[in-house]
Amino acid sequence: DKNYPIIFYDERVFDRPLNEVMKLNLPNFQYVLHHPDIHVCIVDHIKIIQSQLNALNSWNILRKLPKFNTLLLLQYLCISTETSDIVVQCYKQVFKRCAGACADLLCDIAVKLNEQQLDDIIEFFMDGLGDIHEECACSLSKIALYLDERQLNKVFEFLMNAFESGKITICNKCAHALAMISLQLEGKKLDDAFQCLIHRFPSYFRNKKDILNDIDATQFIMEFKEKQLNNVFSFLIGIFNDIDKYNWAPEDVRKAITMTFSEKQFDNTFDCLIIRSNGVSITIYISLFPNLFEEIVQRLNEKQINIALDCFMDRLNDKKEQQNTRIKCVQLLKEILNKCNEKQLDKVFNFSMDIFNDGNDNVDVRKECVELLGTIAVKLDGNYFSDAFHCLIHGLKDSNYFVRVSCINLFMIFSKKWDEEQLGITFQCLMDGFKNINGYHCDISSGLLKEIVMQLNETQVNDLFTRLINGFKI
């Protein structure tokens, strides 16, 4: 159909590629394709495609869109052992020229292949680990779902031997292949895989999740029994005790802590992390494990909360501590608030007031403490709200503009709970700010005005109007 393709930069580009049409209609015509005469035609056509692919000189097949669409189309023609054999050969012969696409296509057709054909493909992928390493490693992970126990054992032993001999340089993708294959073997090889990875490639447990390649150690860790979990715990403790050797954040190990560790293992981890951090600058721990504290606070008991609060407040109170660490400690205190009782909230509230009222302290620390005060005041209400209000009024005089802005932002939350006296105090601060007297600044008045104007009485509105009119005369 001459109207079917369109021309784009001298290339024939299909606006409705044939493989998409095949995907929609092939299920309805499978029985037709098996007719002997039609089957012969399909075999002949695949052979023609095979010869065309062989004749391509360019290594960049992906730029030749009609040819690439043909590669996609081939997956729908795996209707028999004979056609599947030829399709597999087509993908293998152009594999080096478009490894990513062909690897995915070989995995996609795996469900249609017989045992011998799967043997052929896994041999191909294992051979490719020395050349086209990453694509073949990812493919072994994906194809594991379609392999029987004999094939899984074959790949597993190959990877174990290759890692041990150094034939393959272990990367995150081939480590994941070993992990996924061990899972398909119903736990029979789980401990062997774990021991291999923990000693030869421990970074598999600390690398971030690779969404693009569907690599995440969590699934592997979730299958661990008590023995493996004890080893993971020992591994983690080893990190804490020899921390200078590491410069990473173990994302998946954190998941293991929160999801699979027993209560005793979790308690030991908490003790190691928090108590040791009192003897070593917590900066090290927070920089290496930036989210670990947030992960564990959800499981803290009352005693552990008290320990954690004391730890974070001590570090926050230490002005010799790095600024980023002190800010992080305020943020960690916010994380714990939901688990705190009223007595603990009172303790954090009063501590935060002291830090915030120290005008000589770090600006960013004071800003964080403003938000912490507001969060606690909303939770406790009553006298705490009143105390926070007066603290914020004092903060409006802060020497730093950004601290003043943080206080104004909290007034947006508090303004709905003001009584007449608090509204009057706020109004007077606004008026003083327009005059730049009593320590208040004009910038805070413009910010406060839009928050409180609707709450002012007639007398206050008249005074404010007069003040603004007089301002034009200055």
Side-chain angles (χ1 to χ4, degrees):
D1 181 358
K2 65 179 181 180
N3 295 319
Y4 181 69
I6 59 175
I7 306 301
F8 184 73
Y9 287 103
D10 298 325
E11 293 279 356
R12 287 162 56 87
V13 181
F14 295 113
D15 60 346
R16 198 162 54 120
L18 184 56
N19 66 288
E20 294 296 333
V21 179
M22 291 289 289
K23 185 189 298 184
L24 291 173
N25 296 286
L26 194 59
N28 298 323
F29 296 100
Q30 279 290 314
Y31 70 95
V32 177
L33 298 178
H34 283 89
H35 186 280
D37 294 338
I38 296 178
H39 186 267
V40 170
C41 292
I42 291 175
V43 171
D44 290 342
H45 185 67
I46 298 176
K47 289 181 178 179
I48 292 173
I49 293 174
Q50 185 178 27
S51 63
Q52 290 174 338
L53 292 173
N54 236 4
L56 285 176
N57 294 321
S58 172
W59 277 65
N60 194 353
I61 295 178
L62 294 180
R63 292 188 60 189
K64 298 181 176 296
L65 290 180
K67 295 297 184 184
F68 184 59
N69 284 328
T70 301
L71 287 179
L72 298 176
L73 170 64
L74 287 174
Q75 64 184 306
Y76 305 111
L77 300 180
C78 293
I79 59 173
S80 68
T81 300
E82 185 178 4
T83 59
S84 297
D85 277 339
I86 306 173
V87 170
V88 169
Q89 293 305 314
C90 286
Y91 289 150
K92 287 168 63 176
Q93 72 189 47
V94 295
F95 193 89
K96 289 186 178 181
R97 285 177 277 178
C98 50
C102 287
D104 289 340
L105 288 167
L106 284 169
C107 291
D108 289 341
I109 66 172
V111 69
K112 303 177 182 179
L113 304 181
N114 60 33
E115 184 177 358
Q116 179 56 50
Q117 290 168 329
L118 282 173
D119 280 340
D120 184 37
I121 288 182
I122 61 176
E123 286 285 354
F124 178 74
F125 285 148
M126 288 190 296
D127 290 342
L129 285 174
D131 186 12
I132 310 174
H133 185 93
E134 293 189 356
E135 289 81 2
C136 291
C138 287
S139 298
L140 286 172
S141 299
K142 295 174 184 177
I143 208 171
L145 293 171
Y146 309 109
L147 303 182
D148 60 27
E149 186 172 356
R150 177 188 62 81
Q151 292 165 327
L152 289 168
N153 276 309
K154 179 179 180 180
V155 179
F156 185 84
E157 294 302 325
F158 170 82
L159 291 173
M160 290 285 284
N161 292 333
F163 293 165
E164 184 175 353
S165 65
K167 180 180 179 181
I168 296 175
T169 301
I170 308 178
C171 72
N172 203 40
K173 294 179 176 62
C174 55
H176 188 64
L178 183 69
M180 291 302 99
I181 290 168
S182 71
L183 290 181
Q184 294 301 313
L185 286 167
E186 300 179 350
K188 297 176 183 177
K189 299 290 186 179
L190 188 67
D191 191 59
D192 291 341
F194 172 77
Q195 293 298 330
C196 175
L197 295 175
I198 205 73
H199 292 107
R200 296 188 180 278
F201 195 70
S203 59
Y204 177 63
F205 298 99
R206 61 188 185 243
N207 286 336
K208 293 182 179 180
K209 182 176 181 178
D210 184 348
I211 299 177
L212 183 63
N213 294 298
D214 194 26
I215 296 177
D216 181 10
T218 305
Q219 183 182 355
F220 185 51
I221 295 173
M222 290 294 288
E223 296 297 321
F224 287 171
K225 307 301 180 185
E226 185 175 358
K227 179 181 178 181
Q228 284 100 14
L229 286 174
N230 283 331
N231 287 334
V232 173
F233 173 71
S234 299
F235 170 62
L236 185 60
I237 298 302
I239 295 170
F240 296 153
N241 291 332
D242 199 7
I243 208 155
D244 292 336
K245 291 185 179 180
Y246 299 92
N247 58 353
W248 42 265
E251 303 256 348
D252 293 318
V253 174
R254 292 203 311 271
K255 294 176 184 177
I257 293 171
T258 57
M259 291 187 283
T260 62
F261 270 8
S262 67
E263 185 175 349
K264 181 178 179 180
Q265 291 167 329
F266 175 82
D267 290 345
N268 289 338
T269 304
F270 173 83
D271 290 344
C272 176
L273 185 65
I274 298 298
I275 294 175
R276 180 172 167 80
S277 68
N278 281 319
V280 177
S281 174
I282 200 173
T283 306
I284 299 175
Y285 292 92
I286 289 178
S287 63
L288 297 187
F289 312 106
N291 300 314
L292 182 54
F293 289 93
E294 289 95 325
E295 296 281 351
I296 66 175
V297 294
Q298 302 305 319
R299 290 184 57 177
L300 299 182
N301 57 40
E302 185 175 351
K303 179 180 177 181
Q304 290 169 332
I305 290 174
N306 283 324
I307 294 172
L309 290 178
D310 289 340
C311 170
F312 299 144
M313 288 192 293
D314 285 346
R315 308 262 67 77
L316 180 55
N317 204 35
D318 185 359
K319 293 184 180 180
K320 295 180 181 179
E321 192 66 80
Q322 291 186 14
Q323 175 183 333
N324 289 341
T325 299
R326 297 184 71 209
I327 292 173
K328 186 66 176 179
C329 285
V330 183
Q331 294 168 349
L332 291 170
L333 287 172
K334 292 179 190 176
E335 292 287 337
I336 298 178
L337 291 183
N338 288 331
K339 302 277 289 184
C340 291
N341 58 35
E342 186 172 349
K343 182 178 180 181
Q344 292 165 332
L345 287 172
D346 178 77
K347 182 178 181 179
V348 179
F349 183 84
N350 290 322
F351 174 80
S352 302
M353 290 264 288
D354 293 339
I355 296 291
F356 176 69
N357 288 327
D358 185 352
N360 296 319
D361 208 334
N362 181 271
V363 170
D364 292 322
V365 172
R366 297 205 308 277
K367 280 176 55 183
E368 291 289 337
C369 283
V370 170
E371 296 178 11
L372 183 59
L373 283 170
T375 303
I376 300 174
V378 170
K379 285 180 176 295
L380 293 176
D381 214 343
N383 292 332
Y384 294 91
F385 175 79
S386 177
D387 291 343
F389 173 82
H390 288 288
C391 183
L392 292 175
I393 287 293
H394 178 72
L396 294 176
K397 298 181 180 182
D398 197 276
S399 60
N400 184 270
Y401 169 77
F402 295 104
V403 174
R404 299 196 297 270
V405 169
S406 295
C407 293
I408 293 171
N409 290 338
L410 270 182
F411 273 113
M412 295 173 62
I413 300 173
F414 286 179
S415 61
K416 297 178 181 178
K417 297 186 176 184
W418 284 340
D419 57 29
E420 188 173 341
E421 179 185 359
Q422 291 167 333
L423 177 61
I425 293 173
T426 307
F427 177 75
Q428 189 58 52
C429 293
L430 182 150
M431 295 295 284
D432 289 349
F434 279 129
K435 300 176 185 178
N436 286 310
I437 62 174
N438 296 326
Y440 296 104
H441 302 259
C442 189
D443 56 39
I444 66 107
S445 294
S446 58
L448 279 175
L449 178 59
K450 62 181 180 180
E451 301 304 327
I452 70 170
V453 66
M454 298 304 295
Q455 297 172 262
L456 301 180
N457 60 38
E458 185 176 355
T459 301
Q460 291 169 329
V461 171
N462 288 334
D463 290 345
L464 176 60
F465 181 77
T466 301
R467 174 65 254 170
L468 294 175
I469 290 296
N470 290 336
F472 284 110
K473 299 176 183 179
I474 298 176

